[in-house]
Amino acid sequence: VQLQASGGGLVQAGGSLRLSCAAPGPIFSSYSMGWFRQAPGKEREFVAHISRSGSMISYADFVKGRFTISRDNAKITVYLQMNSLKPEDTAVYYCAAAKGYWTFKLATEYWGQGTQVTVSS
């Protein structure tokens, strides 16, 4: 089972992109979902996640005020709206799903294939 991430691309600094992550089945409407990223030569890091109902959201400090995560349970899709992009946001972005909200970062169960985001200066 793999999540399908899309929406990456090349954008200039200050620009915007919206990533999408489609889950393959209705069971994922009961999962917390979110995003990690991995830049070249660096470890994968947490970006944001959202509870199954959408009532709880968490962001990494470095994206607060710039990125917005949301989900549409009817479409079983989670989105990451990225504004005011910086060159340091360049990375492969991975969507992920886990049953728990509070254990999301440590107990991720499903991953997407990754989508490349490149921000030029």
Side-chain angles (χ1 to χ4, degrees):
V1 176
Q2 191 170 51
L3 309 174
Q4 295 296 322
S6 61
L10 173 63
V11 65
Q12 289 187 332
S16 299
L17 283 173
R18 189 176 84 151
L19 305 183
S20 298
C21 175
I27 189 173
F28 286 93
S29 62
S30 66
Y31 278 63
S32 292
M33 296 182 69
W35 298 88
F36 292 78
R37 71 184 188 185
Q38 187 167 20
K42 295 187 177 182
E43 293 186 353
R44 188 174 296 186
E45 60 183 355
F46 168 79
V47 176
H49 80 298
I50 186 169
S51 64
R52 59 185 181 180
S53 68
S55 61
M56 295 187 290
I57 289 174
S58 175
Y59 294 102
D61 287 344
F62 55 77
V63 303
K64 285 181 179 178
R66 300 189 299 124
F67 291 9
T68 302
I69 190 170
S70 62
R71 68 187 293 161
D72 183 338
N73 282 340
K75 297 180 179 179
I76 321 172
T77 299
V78 64
Y79 304 98
L80 186 68
Q81 178 67 43
M82 305 186 295
N83 298 328
S84 302
L85 283 162
K86 306 175 181 180
E88 51 263 44
D89 293 318
T90 295
V92 177
Y93 284 70
Y94 298 91
C95 62
K99 286 183 179 178
Y101 176 79
W102 301 109
T103 58
F104 179 84
K105 298 176 188 178
L106 298 176
T108 308
E109 298 176 52
Y110 299 99
W111 293 91
Q113 81 282 12
T115 184
Q116 176 70 47
V117 172
T118 303
V119 184
S120 62
S121 58

